Amino acid sequence: MSIVVTGATGHLGRHVVEQLLEKVPAERITAVVRDESKAADLAARGVRLAVADYNTPQTFDGLFAAGDKVLLISGNEFDKGRVQQHRVVIDAARAAGVSLLAYTSAPGSLTAALADDHRATEEVLLASGLPYTLLRNGWYHENYTENLAPVLAHDAVVQAAGEGRIASASRADYAAAAVAVLTGEGHENKTYELSGDEAWSFAEYAAELSRQTGKEIVYNPVSPEAFAGILTGAGLPEVFAGILAGVDASIEKGELAVTTGDLSRLAGRPTTPIAESVAAALKG
């Protein structure tokens, strides 16, 4: 029986595989990848590789075995029909008789369009009859700390979130929760609302950046429409820019400020403070 991780060379997937390697033998881990060359380092450590693509259903035929535990990491191709992509994996897992399928979803409190594909995927998963775990991941620190270049160039954090707060956490934190579910017992048919222990505002984020850089960095709140325009001007596709502006509107309403403690309980430790992720990004 394997622990199977889809999207294993993505940002979150790599963290999951790395943390699994600390807990289980490498030969018990199967990394599902689209490009084998991007996982050569994992193969060198003994991880089994399976090449498959959400957009090519037949590549998942026979990939899973009875008793496997599977982590379905949601796709990031917003224009390719993510629900159908996820259905491919769920159908293959059901056909194989896996013992658990965990899915990285979105917070139950999130009403932004970003959550639509996640809610629809949850419905497909629940209808499949598979033992499931819903890992409703909140926002990642890295959504901001990995995009500091324009902030530092203009000495300004620009968002459309007003005074809203975000209970974000690091990717490594969310990966730890997934690993706990994949290696533990008693997580069948459970839903976990995952978020950081502390919520913060963009004004506080700008103040933390100022403290760590020695520069005066301000927070400039703008309207969702203006924010979407800034993002498309920076080269983001219009659909994706609209989705991110919608998330900011949800942040202003407090939808990503919910703190349940589920994440730190599963990880077995407090979540990473935003200041720590800022420091790591600035060291870069």
Side-chain angles (χ1 to χ4, degrees):
M1 291 185 293
S2 233
I3 294 174
V4 186
V5 180
T6 73
T9 53
H11 290 305
L12 180 63
R14 275 204 168 270
H15 277 290
V16 172
V17 174
E18 289 287 346
Q19 292 186 37
L20 280 172
L21 283 165
E22 295 170 9
K23 294 203 166 189
V24 299
E27 60 271 17
R28 278 195 55 209
I29 306 167
T30 298
V32 181
V33 299
R34 283 193 291 195
D35 182 348
E36 220 168 343
S37 66
K38 289 184 179 173
D41 59 317
L42 299 178
R45 294 168 69 181
V47 174
R48 295 167 54 193
L49 300 186
V51 179
D53 189 323
Y54 295 155
N55 300 306
T56 314
Q58 61 269 27
T59 59
F60 280 91
D61 291 348
L63 193 154
F64 304 120
D68 283 351
K69 288 185 175 180
V70 178
L71 176 64
L72 168 55
I73 293 180
S74 56
N76 59 5
E77 296 175 311
F78 293 91
D79 57 339
K80 295 271 180 79
R82 293 198 300 168
V83 180
Q84 183 53 39
Q85 289 181 330
H86 300 156
R87 188 191 297 273
V88 164
V89 180
I90 292 166
D91 287 350
R94 182 179 57 191
V98 306
S99 64
L100 182 74
L101 191 144
Y103 171 64
T104 61
S105 192
S109 54
L110 186 65
T111 63
L114 178 72
D116 294 349
D117 287 350
H118 292 296
R119 294 291 93 83
T121 299
E122 288 184 3
E123 288 175 15
V124 172
L125 179 52
L126 267 61
S128 74
L130 280 169
Y132 67 87
T133 307
L134 299 181
L135 297 167
R136 289 180 168 170
N137 287 0
W139 222 221
Y140 301 157
H141 290 337
E142 289 88 349
N143 290 342
Y144 305 108
T145 61
E146 286 185 352
N147 295 295
L148 287 179
V151 173
L152 299 177
H154 299 99
D155 294 336
V157 173
V158 180
Q159 299 286 154
E163 295 176 13
R165 303 181 76 78
I166 313 164
S168 62
S170 71
R171 285 198 190 104
D173 293 337
Y174 291 108
V179 168
V181 165
L182 295 168
T183 59
E185 300 297 332
H187 300 290
E188 292 82 3
N189 305 330
K190 297 273 181 72
T191 298
Y192 296 111
E193 296 286 349
L194 304 176
S195 60
D197 295 333
E198 300 285 339
W200 50 271
S201 69
F202 281 109
E204 290 167 348
Y205 178 61
E208 183 60 33
L209 285 168
S210 299
R211 189 183 71 78
Q212 292 200 30
T213 61
K215 302 172 78 174
E216 189 178 337
I217 296 172
V218 298
Y219 169 42
N220 288 337
V222 297
S223 70
E225 295 75 20
F227 187 53
I230 290 166
L231 295 175
T232 53
L236 259 64
E238 202 168 311
V239 171
F240 190 42
I243 285 171
L244 291 179
V247 169
D248 267 22
S250 283
I251 290 170
E252 184 166 23
K253 289 186 269 184
E255 293 176 11
L256 286 180
V258 180
T259 55
T260 64
D262 280 358
L263 181 51
S264 50
R265 276 192 292 272
L266 281 173
R269 57 169 173 75
T271 60
T272 307
I274 183 69
E276 200 173 301
S277 290
V278 167
L282 290 172
K283 274 182 199 158

Coordinates of all heavy atoms in Angstrom, one line a residue, residues 144-152 155-159 200-219 274-275 277-279 281-282:
Y144 N 1.8 36.1 -0.6 CA 2.3 37.4 -0.5 C 3.8 37.5 -0.4 O 4.4 38.3 -1.1 CB 1.7 38.1 0.8 CG 0.2 38.0 0.7 CD1 -0.6 37.2 1.5 CD2 -0.5 38.8 -0.3 CE1 -2.0 37.1 1.4 CE2 -1.9 38.7 -0.4 CZ -2.6 37.8 0.5 OH -4.0 37.7 0.4
T145 N 4.4 36.6 0.4 CA 5.9 36.8 0.7 C 6.7 36.4 -0.6 O 7.8 36.8 -0.7 CB 6.3 35.9 1.9 OG1 6.0 34.5 1.6 CG2 5.6 36.4 3.1
E146 N 6.1 35.6 -1.5 CA 6.8 35.3 -2.7 C 6.7 36.3 -3.8 O 7.2 36.2 -4.9 CB 6.4 33.9 -3.2 CG 6.9 32.7 -2.4 CD 6.5 31.4 -3.0 OE1 5.8 31.3 -3.9 OE2 7.1 30.4 -2.4
N147 N 5.9 37.4 -3.5 CA 5.7 38.4 -4.5 C 6.1 39.8 -3.9 O 5.3 40.8 -4.0 CB 4.2 38.4 -4.9 CG 3.9 37.1 -5.7 OD1 4.4 36.9 -6.7 ND2 3.0 36.4 -5.1
L148 N 7.3 39.8 -3.3 CA 7.7 41.1 -2.7 C 8.3 42.1 -3.6 O 8.5 43.3 -3.3 CB 8.7 40.7 -1.5 CG 8.1 40.1 -0.3 CD1 9.1 39.8 0.7 CD2 7.0 41.0 0.3
A149 N 8.8 41.6 -4.8 CA 9.5 42.6 -5.7 C 8.7 43.9 -6.0 O 9.3 45.0 -5.8 CB 9.9 41.9 -7.0
P150 N 7.5 43.8 -6.4 CA 6.8 45.1 -6.7 C 6.5 45.9 -5.4 O 6.5 47.1 -5.4 CB 5.4 44.6 -7.3 CG 5.3 43.2 -7.0 CD 6.7 42.6 -6.8
V151 N 6.3 45.2 -4.3 CA 6.1 45.9 -3.0 C 7.4 46.7 -2.6 O 7.3 47.9 -2.2 CB 5.8 44.8 -1.9 CG1 5.8 45.5 -0.5 CG2 4.5 44.1 -2.1
L152 N 8.5 46.0 -2.7 CA 9.8 46.7 -2.4 C 10.2 47.8 -3.4 O 10.8 48.8 -3.1 CB 10.9 45.7 -2.2 CG 10.7 44.6 -1.1 CD1 11.8 43.6 -1.1 CD2 10.5 45.3 0.2
D155 N 7.6 50.6 -2.4 CA 7.4 50.8 -1.0 C 5.9 50.8 -0.6 O 5.5 51.7 0.2 CB 8.0 52.2 -0.6 CG 9.6 52.1 -0.7 OD1 10.1 51.0 -0.7 OD2 10.2 53.2 -0.9
A156 N 5.2 49.9 -1.2 CA 3.7 49.9 -0.9 C 3.1 48.5 -1.1 O 3.5 47.8 -2.1 CB 3.0 50.9 -1.9
V157 N 2.3 48.2 -0.2 CA 1.4 46.9 -0.3 C 0.1 47.4 -0.9 O -0.6 48.3 -0.3 CB 1.2 46.3 1.0 CG1 0.2 45.1 0.9 CG2 2.6 45.8 1.6
V158 N -0.3 46.9 -2.1 CA -1.5 47.3 -2.7 C -2.4 46.1 -2.8 O -2.1 45.1 -3.4 CB -1.3 47.8 -4.1 CG1 -2.6 48.3 -4.8 CG2 -0.3 49.0 -4.1
Q159 N -3.6 46.2 -2.1 CA -4.6 45.1 -2.1 C -6.0 45.8 -2.1 O -6.1 46.9 -1.8 CB -4.4 44.2 -0.9 CG -3.1 43.5 -0.7 CD -2.9 42.3 -1.7 OE1 -1.8 42.0 -2.0 NE2 -4.0 41.7 -2.1
W200 N -4.0 38.5 10.6 CA -3.3 39.8 10.5 C -3.9 40.6 9.4 O -4.7 40.1 8.6 CB -1.8 39.6 10.2 CG -1.6 38.6 9.0 CD1 -1.4 37.3 9.1 CD2 -1.5 39.0 7.6 NE1 -1.2 36.7 7.9 CE2 -1.3 37.7 7.0 CE3 -1.5 40.2 6.9 CZ2 -1.1 37.7 5.6 CZ3 -1.4 40.1 5.5 CH2 -1.2 38.9 4.9
S201 N -3.7 41.9 9.4 CA -4.2 42.9 8.4 C -3.1 43.3 7.5 O -1.9 43.2 7.8 CB -4.8 44.1 9.1 OG -3.8 44.9 9.6
F202 N -3.4 43.8 6.3 CA -2.4 44.3 5.4 C -1.6 45.5 6.0 O -0.5 45.7 5.6 CB -3.0 44.6 4.0 CG -3.2 43.4 3.2 CD1 -4.5 42.9 3.0 CD2 -2.1 42.6 2.8 CE1 -4.7 41.7 2.3 CE2 -2.3 41.5 2.0 CZ -3.6 41.0 1.8
A203 N -2.3 46.3 6.8 CA -1.6 47.4 7.4 C -0.5 46.9 8.3 O 0.6 47.4 8.4 CB -2.5 48.3 8.2
E204 N -0.8 45.8 9.1 CA 0.2 45.1 9.9 C 1.3 44.5 9.1 O 2.5 44.5 9.5 CB -0.5 44.1 10.8 CG -1.4 44.7 11.9 CD -2.3 43.8 12.6 OE1 -2.4 42.6 12.1 OE2 -2.9 44.1 13.6
Y205 N 0.9 43.9 8.0 CA 1.9 43.3 7.1 C 2.8 44.3 6.6 O 4.1 44.1 6.6 CB 1.1 42.6 5.9 CG 2.0 42.0 4.9 CD1 2.8 40.9 5.2 CD2 1.9 42.4 3.5 CE1 3.6 40.3 4.2 CE2 2.6 41.8 2.6 CZ 3.5 40.7 2.9 OH 4.3 40.1 1.9
A206 N 2.3 45.5 6.1 CA 3.2 46.6 5.7 C 4.1 47.0 6.8 O 5.3 47.3 6.6 CB 2.4 47.7 5.1
A207 N 3.6 47.1 8.0 CA 4.4 47.5 9.1 C 5.5 46.5 9.4 O 6.7 46.9 9.7 CB 3.6 47.7 10.4
E208 N 5.2 45.2 9.3 CA 6.2 44.2 9.5 C 7.3 44.2 8.4 O 8.5 44.1 8.7 CB 5.6 42.8 9.5 CG 6.5 41.6 9.8 CD 7.2 41.7 11.1 OE1 6.6 42.2 12.1 OE2 8.4 41.3 11.2
L209 N 6.9 44.5 7.2 CA 7.9 44.7 6.1 C 8.8 45.9 6.3 O 10.0 45.8 6.1 CB 7.1 44.8 4.7 CG 6.5 43.5 4.1 CD1 5.6 43.9 3.0 CD2 7.6 42.6 3.7
S210 N 8.2 46.9 6.8 CA 8.9 48.1 7.2 C 10.0 47.8 8.2 O 11.2 48.2 8.1 CB 8.0 49.2 7.7 OG 7.1 49.6 6.7
R211 N 9.5 47.1 9.3 CA 10.4 46.7 10.4 C 11.6 45.9 9.9 O 12.8 46.1 10.3 CB 9.6 46.0 11.4 CG 10.4 45.7 12.7 CD 9.6 44.9 13.7 NE 9.4 43.5 13.3 CZ 10.4 42.6 13.4 NH1 11.6 42.9 14.0 NH2 10.2 41.4 13.1
Q212 N 11.3 45.0 9.0 CA 12.4 44.0 8.6 C 13.3 44.6 7.5 O 14.4 44.1 7.4 CB 11.8 42.7 8.2 CG 11.1 41.9 9.3 CD 11.0 40.4 9.0 OE1 11.8 39.8 8.2 NE2 10.0 39.8 9.6
T213 N 12.8 45.5 6.7 CA 13.6 46.1 5.6 C 14.3 47.4 6.0 O 15.2 47.8 5.3 CB 12.8 46.3 4.4 OG1 11.7 47.3 4.6 CG2 12.2 45.0 3.9
G214 N 13.7 48.1 7.0 CA 14.2 49.4 7.3 C 13.7 50.5 6.4 O 14.1 51.6 6.5
K215 N 12.8 50.1 5.5 CA 12.1 51.1 4.6 C 10.8 51.4 5.1 O 10.2 50.7 5.9 CB 12.0 50.4 3.2 CG 13.3 49.9 2.6 CD 13.1 49.2 1.3 CE 12.8 50.1 0.1 NZ 12.7 49.4 -1.2
E216 N 10.3 52.6 4.6 CA 8.9 52.9 5.0 C 7.9 52.4 4.0 O 7.8 52.9 2.9 CB 8.7 54.4 5.2 CG 7.4 54.8 5.8 CD 7.2 56.3 6.0 OE1 8.2 57.0 6.0 OE2 6.0 56.7 6.0
I217 N 7.3 51.3 4.3 CA 6.3 50.6 3.4 C 4.9 50.8 3.9 O 4.6 50.6 5.0 CB 6.7 49.1 3.2 CG1 8.1 49.0 2.6 CG2 5.6 48.4 2.4 CD1 8.6 47.6 2.6
V218 N 4.1 51.3 3.0 CA 2.7 51.7 3.4 C 1.7 50.7 2.8 O 2.0 50.0 1.8 CB 2.3 53.1 3.0 CG1 3.2 54.1 3.7 CG2 2.4 53.3 1.5
Y219 N 0.5 50.6 3.3 CA -0.6 49.9 2.7 C -1.5 50.8 2.0 O -2.1 51.7 2.6 CB -1.3 49.1 3.8 CG -2.6 48.4 3.3 CD1 -2.7 47.8 2.1 CD2 -3.7 48.5 4.1 CE1 -3.8 47.2 1.7 CE2 -4.9 47.9 3.7 CZ -5.0 47.2 2.5 OH -6.2 46.7 2.0
I274 N 3.5 35.0 10.3 CA 3.8 35.7 9.0 C 5.1 36.4 9.0 O 5.8 36.4 8.0 CB 2.7 36.7 8.7 CG1 2.9 37.4 7.3 CG2 2.5 37.8 9.8 CD1 2.7 36.5 6.1
A275 N 5.6 36.9 10.2 CA 6.9 37.5 10.3 C 8.0 36.6 9.9 O 9.0 37.0 9.3 CB 7.1 38.1 11.7
S277 N 7.8 34.0 7.8 CA 7.8 33.8 6.4 C 8.4 35.0 5.6 O 9.0 34.9 4.6 CB 6.4 33.5 5.9 OG 6.0 32.2 6.3
V278 N 8.1 36.2 6.2 CA 8.7 37.5 5.6 C 10.2 37.4 5.7 O 10.9 37.7 4.7 CB 8.1 38.7 6.3 CG1 8.9 40.0 6.0 CG2 6.6 38.9 6.0
A279 N 10.7 37.0 6.8 CA 12.1 37.0 7.0 C 12.8 36.0 6.1 O 13.8 36.3 5.5 CB 12.4 36.6 8.5
A281 N 11.6 35.0 3.2 CA 11.5 35.5 1.8 C 12.6 36.6 1.6 O 13.2 36.7 0.5 CB 10.1 36.1 1.5
L282 N 12.8 37.5 2.5 CA 13.8 38.6 2.4 C 15.2 38.0 2.3 O 16.1 38.6 1.6 CB 13.7 39.6 3.5 CG 12.4 40.4 3.5 CD1 12.3 41.2 4.8 CD2 12.4 41.3 2.3

